[in-house]
Amino acid sequence: MKIGIIGAGQIGGTLTRRFRALGHEVFVANSRGPETLAKLAKETGATPVSAKEAARSGAVVVVTIQEGRIPELPADLFKGVPADVVVVDTGNYYPRQRDGRIDGIEKGLTESRWVEQKIGRKVVKAFNNIYAKHLLELGRPAGAPGRIALPVSSDDAAAKTVVLKLVEALGFDGIDAGGLDESWRQQPGTPVYCTDLNAEGVRRALKEAKQERQPEWRATAKSPGSFTAPA
């Protein structure tokens, strides 16, 4: 499969490494230009490209940049990209630590619903609730004891199925977490966030999640990495 990745931080770099190890053809972009990705390209065999090229390079495109930088993406990023291309959003919102206030999210939009509005494409929410190191190192064969499960949310059933299969191939149990308006259940501050639960634990945690928007939990929520590049 051809996969475009927009963002080469902790999660983007990890997905580049993992997908290449599985034999996928990966086209990776960052905000500084393809020439700055030479080291990652040499290590993995991925092809460095611009963000627009990454959006047009794959059957799946992963947007994995800091939430506050989503508005900086080209306005026509997905113009002309076929409707059946699956777009994955891995982002998390850290207003105090990194992103500043995003009014749409503060007024009640889930993080990925806001991203949808900004990029003009339906998205699948995935890979946002696991530490990059664990995503890189803790994949296990199906049925292995302690296999970590990852929630996947989307309004597009076909796109969700594609991403669930990728999650499984990476060595994690993929859990259908419902539509995008339910994706708050896997955002920072919830029981499923950065807790490495198994399939049963993820299903239980999603049900137990409470929707809160108080600044207090936003200020203390953990990040799957450091706050320099958690997305």
Side-chain angles (χ1 to χ4, degrees):
M1 180 186 293
K2 292 182 177 180
I3 300 176
I5 298 180
I6 300 173
Q10 292 195 29
I11 296 297
T14 295
L15 288 174
T16 297
R17 293 176 175 91
R18 293 298 319 276
F19 286 143
R20 282 294 300 139
L22 291 174
H24 295 292
E25 191 173 356
V26 176
F27 302 84
V28 61
N30 65 8
S31 61
R32 295 176 294 153
E35 66 279 0
T36 66
L37 293 169
K39 183 178 179 180
L40 181 62
K42 183 177 181 180
E43 174 193 343
T44 64
T47 301
V49 293
S50 69
K52 285 187 177 181
E53 289 171 327
R56 289 156 176 76
S57 295
V60 173
V61 177
V62 183
V63 178
T64 179
I65 66 174
Q66 296 177 6
E67 205 80 343
R69 302 194 69 178
I70 289 290
E72 299 176 17
L73 291 171
D76 59 348
L77 181 62
F78 288 100
K79 184 177 180 180
V81 175
D84 61 351
V85 170
V86 176
V87 180
V88 180
D89 169 43
T90 78
N92 291 308
Y93 176 43
Y94 304 106
R96 292 191 177 186
Q97 300 95 333
R98 186 193 66 192
D99 297 313
R101 179 185 174 89
I102 297 176
D103 285 341
I105 297 175
E106 293 292 344
K107 290 177 180 177
L109 290 175
T110 62
E111 295 164 348
S112 289
R113 184 68 75 191
W114 177 79
V115 170
E116 273 193 342
Q117 292 184 1
K118 292 299 178 184
I119 68 174
R121 292 289 296 238
K122 290 184 177 180
V123 305
V124 180
K125 179 78 166 214
F127 303 117
N128 74 298
N129 74 307
I130 183 171
Y131 290 104
K133 182 178 175 62
H134 295 187
L135 182 61
L136 180 66
E137 299 176 354
L138 298 186
R140 298 289 183 269
R147 193 184 200 216
I148 295 169
L150 301 179
V152 178
S153 303
S154 180
D155 299 332
D156 186 326
K160 189 192 301 184
T161 296
V162 170
V163 178
L164 286 168
K165 289 180 179 178
L166 286 174
V167 169
E168 295 280 345
L170 289 168
F172 304 92
D173 286 330
I175 303 299
D176 187 334
L180 209 63
D181 287 335
E182 293 298 307
S183 63
W184 63 267
R185 297 178 183 274
Q186 66 195 77
Q187 291 178 177
T190 62
V192 78
Y193 192 75
C194 294
T195 47
D196 290 346
L197 299 172
N198 62 15
E200 180 182 354
V202 165
R203 292 188 181 99
R204 182 175 60 250
L206 291 170
K207 290 180 180 179
E208 293 175 351
K210 296 180 179 180
Q211 195 165 20
E212 301 178 16
R213 296 207 171 265
Q214 289 88 351
E216 288 77 17
W217 73 257
R218 290 189 185 279
T220 58
K222 295 182 292 183
S223 159
S226 71
F227 281 108
T228 58

